[in-house]
Amino acid sequence: MTITAENPLVRIEGLHKFYGQHHVLRGIDLDVNRGEVSVVIGPSGSGKSTMLRCVNLLETISAGRISVGGKLIGYRDVKGRLHDLKTKEIAAQRREIGMVFQRFNLFPHKTALYNIMEAPVHVKGQSRDAARRRAMELLDRVGLSDHAGHYPSQLSGGQQQRVAIARALAMDPELMLFDEPTSALDPELVGDVLNVMKDLAKSGMTMIVVTHEIGFAREVGDRLTFMDGGVVVESGDPREILANPKHPRTQEFLSRVL
Ligand SMILES: Nc1ncnc2c1ncn2[C@@H]1O[C@H](COP(=O)(O)OP(=O)(O)OP(=O)(O)O)[C@@H](O)[C@H]1O
Ligand SMILES: [Mg+2]
């Protein structure tokens, strides 16, 4: 995939986030082009989840701008001043973005199939038949077509995570965010989830992936960003950064995880 500077799907500019006095994000700039897989790594507490949560409108931002598909996220720009969007408008923006968390957050009392159908039926107003057909397609895509009737408790962690990915895809997002999707899994279950993510990347989905899976970053990533202390320390071609980290903090971090 070619990396061009123009027309990014996601543009994060000068993003700051405070929790009270705690200055967690200290001026993040990050562009993600359409179809690109942007991998983010960094030590615990560096602000990776907070950044994703800002993109997905789960947090308000303290300063800066985030746009997705050229549209400002969370705010309306009126003559250079930002005004909060209404709750309904925020919900509409959030629907365009899929998010997969470390913990799978499936509805425990619903089957895999119903977990996937839920939002298309109740949020998008799709017919149950159409939603069921699409959910079955998605289950097939994540290798679980024979598990449609299983409840989360009857699925392994890796299977639950694949259902969670299918559930996010059912809303046809233009962007998928992954926050350490494999770090709660037993090692032998990680590969299946990464393979689903690889296929998704190949299909052209734009993805921001926070992960400790360096192999995934090297193989699938179009860009690798190393964050520390709420700033982007280094960002560029994954193979280049992993082979030749320029910044001492990147070197130190990679020496611990590689
Ligand atoms: N809701 C919150 N209220 C107050 N502080 C928070 C909140 N969420 C996160 N923080 C703080 O913000 C900082 C960044 O947290 P964040 O979860 O973004 O880090 P992270 O890079 O995702 O770490 P990890 O690798 O452990 O997931 C941490 O110091 C954390 O304690
Ligand atoms: Mg995190």
Side-chain angles (χ1 to χ4, degrees):
M1 266 167 258
T2 47
I3 296 181
T4 52
E6 62 260 33
N7 192 24
L9 178 68
V10 184
R11 169 156 278 181
I12 302 176
E13 296 169 281
L15 173 62
H16 287 259
K17 175 68 185 174
F18 284 85
Y19 288 114
Q21 297 291 307
H22 190 179
H23 196 176
V24 173
L25 298 180
R26 299 164 169 262
I28 300 277
D29 296 301
L30 186 71
D31 279 357
V32 185
N33 291 317
R34 273 177 208 281
E36 206 175 88
V37 177
S38 190
V39 177
V40 179
I41 59 172
S44 183
S46 56
K48 307 179 298 294
S49 296
T50 304
M51 179 181 75
L52 288 189
R53 292 169 62 81
C54 289
V55 174
N56 199 26
L57 299 120
L58 294 169
E59 299 287 354
T60 58
I61 68 179
S62 307
R65 278 164 185 254
I66 302 173
S67 56
V68 176
K71 266 195 241 144
L72 208 53
I73 282 288
Y75 302 90
R76 180 179 295 110
D77 185 339
V78 182
K79 295 180 187 147
R81 292 190 62 143
L82 299 188
H83 299 264
D84 290 348
L85 290 183
K86 298 192 181 74
T87 312
K88 243 189 167 166
E89 296 169 310
I90 286 179
Q93 284 192 334
R94 195 179 281 150
R95 282 206 286 280
E96 300 295 315
I97 303 170
M99 184 146 174
V100 176
F101 300 87
Q102 183 172 349
R103 300 263 158 218
F104 336 112
N105 318 108
L106 297 177
F107 302 115
H109 55 285
K110 290 210 155 77
T111 62
L113 181 71
Y114 276 89
N115 263 281
I116 300 170
M117 288 171 59
E118 176 88 16
V121 170
H122 292 288
V123 181
K124 264 194 169 172
Q126 259 181 27
S127 76
R128 299 189 76 80
D129 274 353
R132 181 177 291 109
R133 267 198 305 278
R134 173 93 167 108
M136 286 307 298
E137 272 169 35
L138 287 165
L139 276 169
D140 188 43
R141 186 161 167 192
V142 301
L144 291 171
S145 39
D146 48 354
H147 290 68
H150 289 223
Y151 288 87
S153 61
Q154 300 169 317
L155 297 168
S156 73
Q159 291 169 336
Q160 289 182 54
Q161 194 60 306
R162 285 184 279 152
V163 173
I165 294 171
R167 184 176 61 172
L169 292 175
M171 291 296 280
D172 291 320
E174 61 178 348
L175 169 69
M176 285 284 286
L177 309 176
F178 292 87
D179 194 359
E180 300 196 32
T182 59
S183 53
L185 301 177
D186 291 338
E188 73 271 21
L189 303 178
V190 168
D192 289 339
V193 174
L194 292 179
N195 282 334
V196 165
M197 292 168 62
K198 264 181 226 172
D199 285 347
L200 192 56
K202 267 194 220 138
S203 78
M205 177 62 77
T206 311
M207 299 161 58
I208 305 179
V209 182
V210 172
T211 187
H212 296 301
E213 295 291 334
I214 300 298
F216 179 88
R218 187 186 288 116
E219 224 186 291
V220 185
D222 294 297
R223 171 174 288 272
L224 180 63
T225 297
F226 172 66
M227 279 176 67
D228 194 11
V231 299
V232 170
V233 174
E234 199 165 336
S235 185
D237 182 280
R239 281 132 313 251
E240 175 61 24
I241 289 185
L242 292 169
N244 281 311
K246 296 209 168 49
H247 200 286
R249 278 148 84 187
T250 321
Q251 290 165 5
E252 193 267 334
F253 177 78
L254 288 176
S255 73
R256 279 190 285 126
V257 299
L258 281 176

